[in-house]
Amino acid sequence: MNWEDFRAWGRRAADWAADYHAGLRDRPVRAQVAPGAVLSALPDAPPEGAEAMQAIFDDFEQTLMPGITHWQHPRFFAYFPANAAPVSVLAEYFVSAIAAQCMLWQTSPAATELETRVCDWMRQAIGLPDGFTGVIQDSASSATLCAVLTMRERALDWQGNKAGLSGQPRLRVYCSAEVHTSVDRAIWVAGLGEENLVRIPTQGTTRAMDAKALRAAIEADRAAGHLPAGIIACTGGTSAGASDDIAAVMDVAEAEALYTHVDAAWAGSAMICPEFRSLWAGVERADSVVMNPHKWLGAQFDCTTHFLRNPGDLVRTLAIQPEYLKTHGADGVVNYSEWSVPLGRRFRALKLWFLIRAHGLEGLREMIRNHVSWAQDLAARLEATEGFEIVTPPMLSLFTFRHLGGDDLDAHNQDLLNRINDDGRIYLTQTRIDGALVIRFQAGAFTATAEDVAMAHDVITELAEA
Ligand SMILES: *Cc1c(COP(=O)(O)O)cnc(C)c1O
């Protein structure tokens, strides 16, 4: 394809995307294909000769699209949202067209400087104090890995990268059992070992780490000759929105001089609404905070904002050059590849800039507030419906429930969930709460309406009765 053909196909692609979105409500949310169906429809060998664009496009529509689960469907209530506002899709189109590698300031000064600016916009938007500096990472998993590596280096007096971990005391990191699996992975990848991720028991309806138990675990580890390195707290855990008491965690961290990372990958978006900020009160004392505009806000994947109280610690951990000998940013030049594990960087700031400008914070707040109140309404309606039990109450727009029926409640609810997802009008996923299988609901799709959430009630109750 040359750029003249691109002109015509680019217009068709825009029409296709707008039509696709306009027709989403008529499609089943979760793909309804059998395993292997798509694979077996694809030729075994690659073509030797060039194929016509029309033929490729037809196969895309006929073979691949039936195997797509529609994450932008207004009735996608599974997992967490991965919203892509139209304006962010357009921005990605420009990013792809420019296709710049933005690893150093000089490899695209505008990309670096826009990143600095929009990260600071996001910092203000979510109410973090101006002592925090942001960077855009490819995912929250990467940001958490960066935080764990920083904890490790700081605890080892910056010798870990050089000398390795052998001969060192066991480095210990603390978190609750409600944190995302990206924390386990970060611990593995950083070479700390799963056994050194200490799980602190949780308590209360917020499923928060018990601060007393946290302090006791750290003291016991020190007495055993281990080396406590840091604490990972969460606001809005993946399973049911568990949220640590950040202020209580910070009291312990400060007394023990430990590095702290707060994972608010999903719930962080809600902090653009001041009324929700009490959920992470104390966050201003953390060293590192991550939230994903690519989840709820609508800046499509990948766009993770990672805020640091002292970016110098991260740069000292990750920069190949001994950057700590230089003054960062003093000459007006920041090289963001020194703030993340991969070298190459896409121009991710552009979609966040387009999004914030096109919707305004007020527009985004209205969306979040709607989702939260619709989810609360649905939870209240289900609770009032015979045979339903709310297992964990709404945390922002997320709650879990189950239907009481049959001898084996887990099997009954798994069966109900399967029938809901085979039906296709809505899409939900499951989790386990204190060992029991429950159904998760979250409202967060960019284009969801109150009617879409009301339909969830109809589908759930209709299929539970069937
Ligand atoms: C989604 C999520 C993650 C992982 O986010 P990625 O950007 O996909 O790596 C981590 N933590 C929490 C709490 C999440 O909700």
Side-chain angles (χ1 to χ4, degrees):
M1 177 180 279
N2 59 36
W3 287 100
E4 275 313 307
D5 294 337
F6 179 91
R7 197 183 291 283
W9 275 98
R11 294 197 172 105
R12 279 188 65 177
D15 284 341
W16 183 90
D19 290 343
Y20 167 70
H21 279 265
L24 268 177
R25 278 194 178 79
D26 300 328
R27 297 185 187 241
V29 191
R30 195 208 57 195
Q32 305 286 325
V33 294
V38 175
L39 182 62
S40 63
L42 298 168
D44 292 336
E48 292 292 339
E51 294 191 59
M53 186 58 198
Q54 185 65 49
I56 305 170
F57 177 77
D58 289 346
D59 287 345
F60 158 66
E61 279 209 301
Q62 285 153 30
T63 308
L64 299 184
M65 282 311 292
I68 293 293
T69 291
H70 303 291
W71 282 74
Q72 306 310 316
H73 196 298
R75 293 190 299 271
F76 182 99
F77 302 122
Y79 305 100
F80 279 138
N83 285 331
V87 72
S88 110
V89 177
L90 265 187
E92 278 287 37
Y93 194 95
F94 298 132
V95 169
S96 296
I98 299 165
Q101 275 291 350
C102 308
M103 59 248 194
L104 306 174
W105 177 85
Q106 64 170 348
T107 63
S108 274
T112 295
E113 295 184 14
L114 184 67
E115 183 161 336
T116 302
R117 183 59 75 213
V118 293
C119 283
D120 200 62
W121 283 8
M122 272 314 299
R123 176 194 65 74
Q124 296 172 52
I126 61 175
L128 287 180
D130 62 8
F132 280 91
T133 308
V135 58
I136 302 183
Q137 306 276 10
D138 57 11
S139 62
S141 305
S142 288
T144 297
L145 175 59
C146 286
V148 169
L149 292 169
T150 305
M151 285 174 189
R152 186 192 76 184
E153 286 309 293
R154 188 176 160 277
L156 294 175
D157 201 19
W158 315 99
Q159 294 305 304
N161 281 333
K162 201 166 167 218
L165 300 184
S166 65
Q168 298 290 354
R170 280 171 167 250
L171 285 156
R172 306 285 265 184
V173 173
Y174 308 84
C175 66
S176 82
E178 299 283 341
V179 295
H180 189 263
T181 51
S182 56
V183 174
D184 302 62
R185 284 239 184 94
I187 295 290
W188 302 349
V189 175
L192 267 53
E194 180 83 44
E195 288 173 6
N196 294 309
L197 182 61
V198 183
R199 304 284 185 172
I200 305 300
T202 56
Q203 53 184 15
T205 49
T206 55
R207 311 178 83 77
M209 253 192 277
D210 174 353
K212 267 208 197 102
L214 172 64
R215 196 184 292 264
I218 295 168
E219 281 167 10
D221 279 347
R222 288 205 200 278
H226 303 332
L227 184 55
I231 306 172
I232 298 174
C234 71
T235 302
T238 326
S239 176
S243 294
D244 289 315
D245 177 344
I246 308 288
V249 169
M250 287 310 307
D251 287 344
V252 179
E254 286 166 5
E256 300 282 349
L258 295 181
Y259 195 86
T260 47
H261 174 64
V262 176
D263 179 2
W266 161 67
S269 290
M271 302 309 166
I272 64 172
C273 307
E275 69 270 28
F276 299 131
R277 291 184 192 152
S278 58
L279 291 169
W280 72 355
V283 70
E284 66 284 351
R285 294 155 66 191
D287 292 301
S288 166
V289 181
V290 66
M291 55 89 59
N292 278 343
H294 71 225
K295 275 190 170 146
W296 205 349
L297 276 193
Q300 72 169 290
F301 192 83
D302 50 346
C303 187
T304 290
T305 44
H306 183 195
F307 297 97
L308 300 143
R309 212 138 51 94
N310 181 7
D313 286 345
L314 176 62
V315 173
R316 191 167 175 182
T317 300
L318 291 181
I320 293 289
Q321 302 232 312
E323 284 292 331
Y324 51 90
L325 298 177
K326 300 180 190 170
T327 318
H328 256 271
D331 53 0
V333 171
V334 178
N335 294 320
Y336 281 123
S337 59
E338 295 173 344
W339 300 46
S340 50
V341 175
L343 173 69
R345 309 185 94 245
R346 293 163 8 81
F347 185 7
R348 299 188 197 99
L350 195 71
K351 59 193 162 194
L352 195 48
W353 190 59
F354 271 56
L355 176 83
I356 295 173
R357 293 186 61 187
H359 289 268
L361 291 176
E362 227 8 273
L364 297 171
R365 284 188 197 110
E366 187 188 341
M367 171 188 70
I368 299 237
R369 286 173 176 142
N370 280 337
H371 292 161
V372 171
S373 84
W374 296 336
Q376 286 170 347
D377 291 348
L378 177 64
R381 281 185 74 190
L382 280 178
E383 186 157 39
T385 306
E386 174 86 31
F388 283 94
E389 176 184 72
I390 300 301
V391 180
T392 59
M395 152 65 184
L396 297 168
S397 59
L398 169 67
F399 68 90
T400 64
F401 67 95
R402 63 180 172 174
H403 184 249
L404 305 171
D407 297 335
D408 183 342
L409 274 184
D410 285 5
H412 175 73
N413 281 279
Q414 183 66 57
D415 174 65
L416 172 60
L417 179 68
N418 292 346
R419 287 187 293 117
I420 287 170
N421 292 336
D422 290 346
D423 172 88
R425 281 174 288 173
I426 64 172
Y427 182 25
L428 302 175
T429 41
Q430 79 285 355
T431 187
R432 283 196 181 268
I433 299 293
D434 302 326
L437 186 134
V438 300
I439 302 177
R440 257 174 114 261
F441 177 93
Q442 67 77 28
F446 208 75
T447 50
T449 61
E451 290 70 38
D452 289 312
V453 178
M455 186 185 279
H457 180 267
D458 297 346
V459 173
I460 294 165
T461 51
E462 176 191 317
L463 294 175
E465 280 161 23

